[in-house]
Amino acid sequence: MKDNLARPEPLNDWEFRLLRGIALYQFSSKEVSECLFPAKEQFLVQKSLTTGKIRNVLLKETNELYLVLRAQDFLFSITTLSALRLKECTKPPKLRVIMPSSLASFVREGKNVFAKFVVDADPELRPNDEVLVVDEGDNLLAVGKMKLSGEEVKHYKRGVAVQVKRGVEELG
């Protein structure tokens, strides 16, 4: 799949506005959109060789993967780097599912989050939303995809609340 991506290149003004617009739509906040994309010069994009559409957003300074623009729904999949930025831009419980600190090691290993263990969640989250999984101290544990709404998670005592895509090693 990586063979189908062009070399990273700088963003143009239109692409920068497009990425901010997608972030505005996906995360329902102009402040989050601007925080996620503070300046066009900080990013590079990789485009599909087949379609010419943006697939990856990289940090220019380190060439690390920042966001993936999914082809099927034209929304972002967050990475650890973009999750850390989203965490800085928002206050709990915004975009978060909060777990007990005692279960942090399981979530960091990439294990899914079950509804019965959720301490709190952003009530605006919907199924399939990208989400940050944090502990009670707001330390990032994982990134994942909601399987229930933020309201349902608080009331359900069974089932997977968040399908964890990748656990985050302890930072610090």
Side-chain angles (χ1 to χ4, degrees):
M1 182 79 100
K2 287 188 178 186
D3 300 331
N4 192 32
L5 294 175
R7 293 184 143 192
E9 60 186 61
L11 284 167
N12 63 40
D13 290 337
W14 183 87
E15 292 167 337
F16 182 65
R17 287 192 308 273
L18 173 71
L19 295 177
R20 268 194 172 177
I22 294 167
L24 172 63
Y25 172 77
Q26 184 170 352
F27 301 112
S28 304
S29 166
K30 184 177 181 192
E31 293 77 23
V32 171
S33 171
E34 290 173 356
C35 182
L36 204 53
F37 293 103
K40 148 181 114 163
E41 298 75 28
Q42 295 178 359
F43 303 99
L44 298 171
V45 291
Q46 277 186 302
K47 296 178 182 175
S48 165
L49 290 172
T50 308
T51 65
K53 292 183 178 178
I54 297 170
R55 290 292 163 245
N56 294 328
V57 179
L58 310 169
L59 288 178
K60 187 174 185 177
E61 189 177 305
T62 60
N63 226 29
E64 291 179 278
L65 185 62
Y66 184 65
L67 288 163
V68 175
L69 194 53
R70 299 188 302 250
Q72 66 269 26
D73 59 7
F74 212 55
L75 295 173
F76 293 118
S77 286
I78 57 179
T79 66
T80 302
L81 291 172
S82 51
L84 289 168
R85 181 74 62 96
L86 285 169
K87 192 171 91 62
E88 289 173 16
C89 301
T90 58
K91 291 185 168 85
K94 182 79 173 155
L95 302 176
R96 292 165 174 78
V97 168
I98 302 170
M99 298 291 301
S101 299
S102 60
L103 298 176
S105 60
F106 294 103
V107 179
R108 286 186 194 282
E109 291 172 11
K111 305 245 187 321
N112 289 336
V113 173
F114 286 86
K116 69 180 179 180
F117 298 117
V118 172
V119 173
D120 197 8
D122 180 352
E124 295 178 13
L125 289 170
R126 300 162 301 204
N128 294 320
D129 278 354
E130 294 284 312
V131 66
L132 314 177
V133 180
V134 299
D135 65 15
E136 293 158 306
D138 203 34
N139 299 301
L140 185 63
L141 305 176
V143 294
K145 187 175 277 222
M146 291 296 292
K147 290 295 162 191
L148 302 168
S149 75
E151 279 300 320
E152 290 171 331
V153 165
K154 294 180 197 178
H155 301 290
Y156 282 27
K157 297 297 172 214
R158 301 177 67 150
V160 175
V162 178
Q163 181 180 359
V164 171
K165 295 191 299 184
R166 67 185 67 80
V168 176
E169 291 179 25
E170 217 162 331
L171 307 168

